[in-house]
Amino acid sequence: MQKAQWSFYLLTVALTIFGSSCFSTPGSAPSSTTSTSTTSTVAVAENAGEKAVKIIFKTGDGGSFDSASLPATGTTIDTVDGGYEATAVYTMDNVKLIKGVSSLWPKWLSRFEIGISGSSNLGADNADCARFATNTESQPNCVDSLGGSFQCAVQNFFRVSEYDCMQNSLVTENGSYSDGVYLRAVINRSSEALGSSENLMAVLEYTAAGIQGTPTDITKCFTADGVAPQECSDLLWNAYLWDKDPATKPVPLSRFLMLIPPITSFSDDTSKTNTGLRMTRQIFIPLASNSSIQAFQLSRITSNQLYTVRNTTLLNRCSNGGVGSGNSPLCAGVVFYSITFYRI
Amino acid sequence: MIHSKRSFLLLVLVIGGAGLFLFSCAKNIRYTASTLTPTTVTSDQAEALALTGVKVRFYYDDLYNLSNPAGLAANYCVGGVKTFRNPYSSEALPSDGNGGTIRPQFIRDVSVDLTDANSVADSNTTANCAASTAYTNTQASKCSIFDHQFVDASNAPIGMGKEYNTGYYTVLDTQCQGKGPLNTSIDPLLNRLYAGGIYFDLERSEFGENENLLLDLLFYPFGPANNDAAGVALTKTDEAVIQVHLVKTGLTYDLLSLMIQPRFLQYFATAQYPTLVQSLSIISPPTGQMRHEQIFIPLAFNSSVDRIRVERLSGSGVFLEASLYKTGNK
């Protein structure tokens, strides 16, 4: 009896020594870096509203943006909540949820806003650069080099027309609060909104049009500083993750994902191939990998390759009505149709 | 003698506390350099070890290369990533005290195939860690290389030299003729396939039972719209097709780092390292522009998967960066 007792004691002690120092739960390694938010203690949040919602980049009926309160001179940069906010989202059953009214509004989506250009927007001061398309520019008034006409934009949808964006200046953005043209989702990481093991998937529906085709010389994409896609593409749009409180106006140190290139629609000197090809892109946002991620931003970074031909090819090709008036995102630029967020 | 339950419990508490103080589980640092011991891990190193995401850059200087190989003088090897980075800041992780950086615990190794590790140059120190040059189909080529001109101290060339000279990991279809794992075939369309690519080796014990992985890959798939380094248009056969497979290897870091180059000769279609998921993803044309693709890796379906193989099936291109993110355990 005594021998058995001692064996039990020794076994327990041995297990205690090794168990206390080597115990760890697989997958429980702490998240990285600069966590300033409260880490959720639940794996999946319950009662956090709809698990999938769509934002439609449209004003008026069927859209997520109110047309009555559009900022006349654009949104402001370097200002918390300075963008134009989406006030409605749609469920997968196409039920409209209004922010501040609908109880099923997703708690995990604190805010979604876009940057609209204008004199108040110091990052994009041309009023026709980034805004919702009018009826006029949605007509087939864009003229190509062969004299053929094509639709320049899609009425009421949010579009970015490169011809107009670069009339005043060439900018280079960095995914921060000072970007003029952007889409930004602010994410609520509290445990009531999102669990610690939950992520988001965004499905973006858009067109990306350019004029200069794929680069023949790929070495242009590399500079002494490294990879430089802006040197060999008409457009450059990047996605960023903010791992600090958006109210602190963080500046992300590197891009999360490059959205554009590739460009899917091109015009060239001999044929008009721009047909406004609509495409989708799934973007997995790995929230569970970093409890500090609190915002997702898509930014227009630069278009310096188009800038070099703004007075020649861009002027001749992407001219609405042939009079150099721009408003031609389906010639050179981006049209956004929708973005759908899924909790996964 | 322990006579009472209370005395016993007290003893357990004391010994348990001593255990906590004196020991830390060797598992937490087993991937780092042998110079690191529990008592020498800094807080920065510990933080890097615990990262649930990582970025690697396929620029020659971030990997062990012909002029900066890894290992001991008698057996220098190349192709493994030396510098791991924070995926959000792109900054290099803290040093491991052995010439490289810390690897987060969920990463066992990341490496690339190199077909010029056995280049015939007096100053090449990596030939012992590469395939024999006795056979034509294993002699050095520019099939998969760091596109950079390596030279030694006397300015003598090492390796096969540069093409576009970007410095990044480059695969060139025309240079893969007869060099792929099917190199015994006389059909040039076959013997150039499956040569070149990347290996992401994972430590599955660091993943939860229901946890998966996200792989972001920034690369440049070439196509007929692009030119070669001489300015001549590429052909249809240069159109890049990339495949992603999930494999079981069971290899430790030490064994992985010593695999001879090019590693596809060891790993291709062998029962020793079975492919558990063939073609999880096929990244195919359109080509000609830089692309940044996300590939969701469903690790949770099989706990034996410990490798993501990004394989050049055919064509040409440049691999630029990759990021890996653990997706949380539900």
Side-chain angles (χ1 to χ4, degrees):
Chain A
M1 185 73 164
Q2 208 170 23
K3 202 185 216 177
Q5 223 173 7
W6 266 111
S7 301
F8 171 72
Y9 288 152
L10 284 170
L11 179 63
T12 305
V13 167
L15 284 172
T16 303
I17 292 174
F18 292 107
S20 65
S21 55
C22 291
F23 175 81
S24 72
T25 304
S28 65
S31 297
S32 67
T33 63
T34 55
S35 173
T36 56
S37 69
T38 303
T39 303
S40 178
T41 56
V42 296
V44 179
E46 302 295 337
N47 304 315
E50 280 292 318
K51 287 194 173 182
V53 292
K54 174 182 282 192
I55 291 157
I56 300 176
F57 291 101
K58 190 172 174 278
T59 55
D61 288 340
S64 293
F65 295 87
D66 179 20
S67 56
S69 49
L70 277 169
T73 56
T75 53
T76 53
I77 64 172
D78 288 324
T79 305
V80 176
D81 298 343
Y84 192 53
E85 186 180 13
T87 53
V89 297
Y90 295 81
T91 69
M92 296 303 98
D93 298 330
N94 211 31
V95 172
K96 184 175 182 178
L97 304 178
I98 300 173
K99 190 174 184 184
V101 174
S102 303
S103 61
L104 291 178
W105 179 276
K107 291 179 187 171
W108 43 271
L109 185 63
S110 296
R111 180 180 173 90
F112 188 91
E113 65 178 61
I114 58 177
I116 293 182
S117 63
S119 57
S120 299
N121 187 335
L122 300 183
D125 56 5
N126 182 295
D128 294 319
C129 168
R131 57 169 173 74
F132 293 94
T134 64
N135 177 54
T136 304
E137 68 198 63
S138 306
Q139 303 305 312
N141 288 331
C142 272
V143 180
D144 62 33
S145 61
L146 299 179
S149 60
F150 62 99
Q151 187 181 8
C152 298
V154 183
Q155 185 177 358
N156 293 338
F157 279 90
F158 184 60
R159 96 288 185 278
V160 180
S161 172
E162 287 296 331
Y163 180 97
D164 303 282
C165 291
M166 59 181 59
Q167 285 306 300
N168 295 342
S169 61
L170 175 69
V171 297
T172 300
E173 308 290 21
N174 59 2
S176 69
Y177 252 110
S178 63
D179 290 1
V181 182
Y182 64 91
L183 319 176
R184 183 184 304 143
V186 180
I187 305 164
N188 183 354
R189 298 303 304 270
S190 68
S191 57
E192 307 87 60
L194 277 171
S196 59
S197 295
E198 291 195 86
N199 302 283
L200 290 180
M201 183 175 73
V203 180
L204 181 71
E205 191 181 6
Y206 66 106
T207 62
I211 58 175
Q212 300 192 86
T214 54
T216 53
D217 180 8
I218 68 104
T219 60
K220 290 170 60 179
C221 307
F222 301 87
T223 66
D225 296 326
V227 178
Q230 69 275 12
E231 299 299 329
C232 58
S233 175
D234 281 355
L235 309 175
L236 178 63
W237 282 70
N238 285 337
Y240 296 86
L241 297 179
W242 292 2
D243 60 354
K244 294 180 177 62
D245 183 353
T248 64
K249 295 193 262 182
V251 179
L253 296 176
S254 65
R255 81 171 157 252
F256 168 62
L257 194 73
M258 185 179 73
L259 177 71
I260 305 169
I263 296 171
T264 54
S265 298
F266 284 110
S267 62
D268 57 24
D269 286 334
T270 58
S271 66
K272 169 54 72 182
T273 59
N274 252 338
T275 58
L277 295 175
R278 189 184 293 204
M279 59 193 288
T280 59
R281 182 76 182 269
Q282 285 188 353
I283 303 170
F284 189 103
I285 303 170
L287 298 181
S289 180
N290 187 335
S291 60
S292 300
I293 296 172
Q294 297 173 68
F296 165 79
Q297 176 159 314
L298 267 172
S299 287
R300 170 183 178 266
I301 302 302
T302 190
S303 50
N304 58 346
Q305 293 304 299
L306 280 178
Y307 193 73
T308 60
V309 297
R310 68 190 183 283
N311 294 324
T312 53
T313 315
L314 186 62
L315 172 67
N316 296 331
R317 194 66 46 73
C318 301
S319 175
N320 189 331
V323 293
S325 58
N327 296 316
S328 51
L330 290 179
C331 179
V334 182
V335 177
F336 291 102
Y337 297 96
S338 69
I339 187 166
T340 306
F341 290 100
Y342 299 84
R343 275 173 61 193
I344 57 174
Chain B
M1 289 281 281
I2 302 173
H3 291 287
S4 71
K5 198 186 278 185
R6 191 166 62 178
S7 304
F8 168 70
L9 288 174
L10 193 62
L11 178 66
V12 166
L13 279 171
V14 168
I15 294 175
L20 269 171
F21 179 73
L22 291 173
F23 297 99
S24 83
C25 187
K27 171 171 99 74
N28 290 334
I29 56 163
R30 66 182 180 286
Y31 309 116
T32 59
S34 58
T35 55
L36 280 181
T37 66
T39 58
T40 63
V41 173
T42 66
S43 60
D44 283 350
Q45 288 172 324
E47 188 176 327
L49 285 167
L51 281 176
T52 52
V54 72
K55 174 182 279 188
V56 295
R57 204 175 52 145
F58 298 109
Y59 186 66
Y60 76 94
D61 205 31
D62 272 22
L63 296 93
Y64 293 107
N65 56 65
L66 289 171
S67 65
N68 187 11
L72 301 174
N75 201 28
Y76 280 133
C77 292
V78 288
V81 170
K82 173 165 61 84
T83 301
F84 290 86
R85 297 177 178 273
N86 184 300
Y88 303 102
S89 67
S90 294
E91 292 176 348
L93 297 184
S95 168
D96 63 359
N98 201 31
T101 70
I102 295 287
R103 292 190 304 285
Q105 288 176 161
F106 74 97
I107 295 293
R108 190 176 281 170
D109 191 28
V110 179
S111 61
V112 300
D113 288 311
L114 290 174
T115 55
D116 64 345
N118 60 351
S119 67
V120 180
D122 288 344
S123 50
N124 182 14
T125 59
T126 67
N128 285 342
C129 197
S132 168
T133 56
Y135 307 100
T136 305
N137 54 20
T138 56
Q139 290 174 356
S141 75
K142 292 183 185 180
C143 172
S144 53
I145 58 169
F146 296 121
D147 194 355
H148 177 79
Q149 180 67 63
F150 295 106
V151 295
D152 63 16
S154 68
N155 213 31
I158 318 172
M160 293 296 290
K162 58 182 175 22
E163 286 286 319
Y164 298 96
N165 201 26
T166 64
Y168 282 88
Y169 181 56
T170 302
V171 289
L172 298 170
D173 191 82
T174 52
Q175 304 291 330
C176 293
Q177 209 70 50
K179 302 297 182 185
L182 303 179
N183 53 35
T184 55
S185 170
I186 61 171
D187 185 348
L189 292 179
L190 286 180
N191 61 33
R192 66 185 173 89
L193 298 179
Y194 307 110
I198 308 165
Y199 305 92
F200 298 94
D201 291 290
L202 310 172
E203 185 51 57
R204 286 304 305 271
S205 64
E206 293 297 323
F207 288 82
E209 184 181 346
N210 298 312
E211 190 163 23
N212 299 293
L213 193 69
L214 175 69
L215 168 63
D216 283 358
L217 189 65
L218 179 67
F219 65 111
Y220 201 138
F222 293 166
N226 308 122
N227 289 345
D228 66 13
V232 177
L234 294 173
T235 67
K236 193 75 175 161
T237 54
D238 285 296
E239 215 155 36
V241 180
I242 310 294
Q243 296 187 137
V244 179
H245 313 297
L246 301 184
V247 183
K248 172 189 174 183
T249 72
L251 295 170
T252 63
Y253 170 76
D254 286 340
L255 290 175
L256 289 166
S257 61
L258 293 176
M259 278 292 180
I260 65 169
Q261 289 283 6
R263 291 176 176 170
F264 54 74
L265 293 177
Q266 313 296 317
Y267 294 135
F268 181 77
T270 168
Q272 186 177 8
Y273 311 116
T275 298
L276 301 181
V277 178
Q278 181 78 25
S279 302
L280 170 72
S281 178
I282 300 177
I283 306 171
S284 56
T287 56
Q289 300 178 64
M290 202 177 289
R291 289 169 65 170
H292 202 164
E293 296 292 331
Q294 288 190 322
I295 303 156
F296 185 83
I297 310 295
L299 293 179
F301 96 99
N302 190 327
S303 60
S304 296
V305 171
D306 62 0
R307 166 174 285 176
I308 305 165
R309 166 64 171 156
V310 176
E311 175 185 70
R312 169 199 158 271
L313 171 62
S314 60
S316 308
V318 185
F319 292 97
L320 303 167
E321 290 176 5
S323 294
L324 293 148
Y325 304 90
K326 296 173 72 182
T327 61
N329 188 36
K330 289 197 179 68

